[in-house]
Amino acid sequence: MSDIVYGRNPVYESLRAKRRQFHKLILAEGIRQGDTIKQILSLANQAGVPMEWADRDTLDGLVHANHQGVLLRASGYPYVGLYDLLDAAGEREEAPLVLLLDLLKDPQNVGTLIRTAEAVGVSGVVIQERRAVGITASVVSASSGAVEHLWVAQVTNLANTLSALKEEGLWIAGLEAVEDAQIYHKADLTGPLGVVVGSEGRGMRRLVRERCDFLIELPMRGRVASLNASVAGSVALYEILRQRQVKADR
Amino acid sequence: MSDIVYGRNPVYESLRAKRRQFHKLILAEGIRQGDTIKQILSLANQAGVPMEWADRDTLDGLVHANHQGVLLRASGYPYVGLYDLLDAAGEREEAPLVLLLDLLKDPQNVGTLIRTAEAVGVSGVVIQERRAVGITASVVSASSGAVEHLWVAQVTNLANTLSALKEEGLWIAGLEAVEDAQIYHKADLTGPLGVVVGSEGRGMRRLVRERCDFLIELPMRGRVASLNASVAGSVALYEILRQRQVKADR
């Protein structure tokens, strides 16, 4: 599998993370060599990545998105196995925190949420292989490259994965505004935890919801009934970090 | 000023909020009449809004975005005055909470953040008239129509507005990851408050930052240094709501 990473931050983070094989760096002729571009050139040089200059039209032909004049041909996204992710989580001193996405379809939402997940320091992210967006170039871009540093596992069946995580001692919290959900900040989120975010519009699938140990929701005080999925997930992730920091400070 | 509101939720919320003048509802021929479309037809009918059916190509020609087969020709966005916004805030039992956007440029970010602001129940939102995105059709769409229910004031100079808000007894918190910023959840955010969110990439302007009473930041535990502006703002808004709910429960 080969892939194109595009945009200044995504290419910079990909080269910094060193988790893909890099085939070629392509830069737009006449690109302004600001700080990030200089760092990209230096990292590519150190790693012995072949470089090529091309005109903007050639780059536009390769990527139909805002590439900012920087393209990196590389191997596909380096998914990890679920148990590698959990093993790595177990080696850290803090309680594991895994983010699970149930059939999210919008690359912008997935990338934005993954960027937050990286910022709060989750152990890893789990997505389902079929019927959901994978870690495509658009997701890498929307994550501003953060996903290059994160451990992401792709699984065949998310509901079964929840059972496997429970056997490993994680509690599973589903984020959904339903009647029996608790207000998110009233739930104890400091232990080993998996958090499930449902898809835009439809929420979690029934089989996924049923395997959650408890449901949490954000209070809604306006006249519009829902939040953007990546915002709701991000607010929940930051509340988990807040609770853990408060507990650690005690 | 006339405007086109597009998309199922935005058109529905606009009709429900009844704050614009509605000139004409245009629907795609053969559109599936699900719940939201039925409600739109009913609201438009009650309000005596002229209706028209058109083919998809005509709609595509009117709006270059995902209009979902629903367009509403209406008067421009109904901005309110800054003091109307504050008066209304003063009439509520809780401490005023005003969200201020310093030159945000991406309609998606502005719309997403405004959707969260509506969900937490802010008193209103303030944006600068020049050099920033206004409440355009794309912003209405990205807010999923939430902005139709919200009070938004457009001001000529945001820094001066901060001084005016301080005279009205509000404290001004700037959201920015700088050295002298406090971790957001350690700051007391329960009083009368204005929160300033800076633009994507550049943050707040110096003159705006200098008028803030204090700065708050989100902890960043990953390898990537920043968050999406609408996510950072949304996390801060929900922390304010959380603190106020905890205080009210005491």
Side-chain angles (χ1 to χ4, degrees):
Chain A
M1 275 283 286
S2 115
D3 208 349
I4 294 184
V5 178
Y6 62 83
R8 278 192 296 269
N9 285 334
V11 167
Y12 169 65
E13 299 299 346
S14 188
L15 287 167
R16 202 155 72 99
K18 295 193 180 73
R19 291 170 60 208
R20 304 192 192 227
Q21 291 184 306
F22 306 121
H23 306 318
K24 190 182 277 183
L25 177 68
I26 308 175
L27 292 165
E29 286 161 358
I31 192 171
R32 198 178 65 82
Q33 297 201 15
D35 287 348
T36 310
I37 297 294
K38 279 183 193 153
Q39 288 169 315
I40 286 172
L41 287 167
S42 161
L43 285 169
N45 195 32
Q46 281 166 36
V49 183
M51 291 185 220
E52 190 178 296
W53 297 85
D55 57 29
R56 292 251 166 202
D57 286 350
T58 308
L59 272 75
D60 290 346
L62 290 168
V63 170
H64 305 287
N66 184 10
H67 51 65
Q68 302 178 314
V70 192
L71 260 63
L72 181 63
R73 281 190 187 277
S75 55
Y77 183 77
Y79 294 102
V80 300
L82 181 64
Y83 288 94
D84 294 330
L85 189 158
L86 291 174
D87 285 350
E91 284 164 17
R92 293 162 72 166
E93 277 180 29
E94 52 204 26
L97 171 59
V98 177
L99 172 68
L100 302 107
L101 307 183
D102 190 22
L103 303 193
L104 269 76
K105 296 231 170 7
D106 179 44
Q108 189 66 42
N109 279 343
V110 171
T112 302
L113 185 47
I114 281 181
R115 183 174 176 185
T116 308
E118 203 270 338
V120 303
V122 300
S123 319
V125 175
V126 178
I127 56 179
Q128 187 167 293
E129 205 170 331
R130 295 187 59 186
R131 297 171 54 208
V133 69
I135 308 302
T136 60
S138 318
V139 171
V140 177
S141 169
S143 84
S144 197
V147 71
E148 297 291 311
H149 298 288
L150 204 59
W151 285 41
V152 181
Q154 230 180 1
V155 297
T156 48
N157 183 308
L158 198 75
N160 290 346
T161 300
L162 294 183
S163 303
L165 294 179
K166 285 157 90 163
E167 278 174 27
E168 296 289 321
L170 274 72
W171 289 78
I172 306 297
L175 181 61
E176 193 149 84
V178 287
E179 213 161 282
D180 49 348
Q182 302 174 59
I183 294 294
Y184 76 119
H185 61 73
K186 295 188 176 173
D188 181 353
L189 307 170
T190 58
L193 193 70
V195 184
V196 190
V197 174
S199 75
E200 305 90 354
R202 289 168 182 266
M204 279 179 278
R205 286 170 291 171
R206 189 176 55 81
L207 281 173
V208 169
R209 188 186 307 109
E210 284 173 0
R211 299 218 185 159
C212 293
D213 293 304
F214 59 102
L215 300 172
I216 54 175
E217 66 175 337
L218 272 56
M220 300 289 294
R221 303 183 63 225
R223 300 198 59 191
V224 174
S226 74
L227 282 173
N228 175 287
S230 66
V231 163
S234 295
V235 170
L237 287 172
Y238 261 99
E239 170 63 9
I240 295 166
L241 178 58
R242 187 194 69 79
Q243 288 191 10
R244 290 172 180 210
Q245 289 185 330
V246 168
K247 195 178 177 185
D249 286 350
R250 271 202 213 113
Chain B
M1 275 281 285
S2 114
D3 207 350
I4 294 185
V5 177
Y6 61 83
R8 276 192 296 269
N9 285 335
V11 168
Y12 169 64
E13 298 299 346
S14 188
L15 288 168
R16 201 155 72 100
K18 296 192 180 75
R19 290 170 62 209
R20 304 192 192 227
Q21 290 184 306
F22 306 120
H23 305 318
K24 190 183 278 185
L25 177 68
I26 309 175
L27 291 165
E29 286 162 358
I31 192 171
R32 198 178 65 80
Q33 298 200 15
D35 287 349
T36 310
I37 297 294
K38 279 183 193 154
Q39 287 169 316
I40 286 171
L41 287 168
S42 162
L43 286 168
N45 194 32
Q46 281 167 36
V49 182
M51 292 184 218
E52 190 179 295
W53 297 85
D55 57 29
R56 290 253 165 202
D57 286 350
T58 306
L59 273 74
D60 290 347
L62 290 167
V63 171
H64 305 286
N66 184 11
H67 51 65
Q68 302 177 314
V70 192
L71 260 64
L72 181 62
R73 282 191 187 277
S75 54
Y77 183 77
Y79 294 102
V80 300
L82 181 64
Y83 289 93
D84 293 330
L85 189 158
L86 291 174
D87 285 348
E91 284 165 17
R92 293 160 73 166
E93 278 180 28
E94 52 204 26
L97 171 58
V98 177
L99 172 68
L100 302 107
L101 307 184
D102 189 22
L103 303 194
L104 270 77
K105 297 232 170 2
D106 179 42
Q108 189 66 43
N109 279 344
V110 172
T112 302
L113 185 48
I114 281 182
R115 184 174 176 185
T116 307
E118 202 270 339
V120 303
V122 299
S123 320
V125 175
V126 178
I127 57 179
Q128 187 167 293
E129 204 171 333
R130 295 188 59 185
R131 298 170 54 209
V133 70
I135 307 303
T136 60
S138 318
V139 170
V140 177
S141 169
S143 84
S144 197
V147 72
E148 296 291 312
H149 298 287
L150 204 58
W151 285 40
V152 181
Q154 230 179 0
V155 297
T156 48
N157 183 308
L158 198 75
N160 290 347
T161 301
L162 294 182
S163 304
L165 293 179
K166 285 157 90 163
E167 278 174 27
E168 296 289 322
L170 273 72
W171 289 78
I172 306 296
L175 181 60
E176 192 149 83
V178 287
E179 214 161 280
D180 50 346
Q182 303 175 58
I183 294 294
Y184 76 118
H185 61 72
K186 294 186 177 173
D188 180 353
L189 307 171
T190 57
L193 193 71
V195 184
V196 190
V197 174
S199 74
E200 306 89 352
R202 289 168 183 265
M204 278 179 281
R205 286 171 292 170
R206 188 177 56 81
L207 280 174
V208 169
R209 189 187 306 108
E210 285 172 359
R211 299 219 184 160
C212 292
D213 293 302
F214 60 102
L215 299 172
I216 54 175
E217 66 175 337
L218 272 55
M220 301 289 296
R221 304 185 61 226
R223 301 198 59 192
V224 175
S226 74
L227 282 173
N228 175 287
S230 66
V231 164
S234 295
V235 170
L237 287 172
Y238 261 100
E239 171 63 9
I240 296 165
L241 179 59
R242 187 195 68 79
Q243 288 191 10
R244 291 173 178 209
Q245 290 184 329
V246 168
K247 193 176 177 185
D249 285 351
R250 272 202 212 114

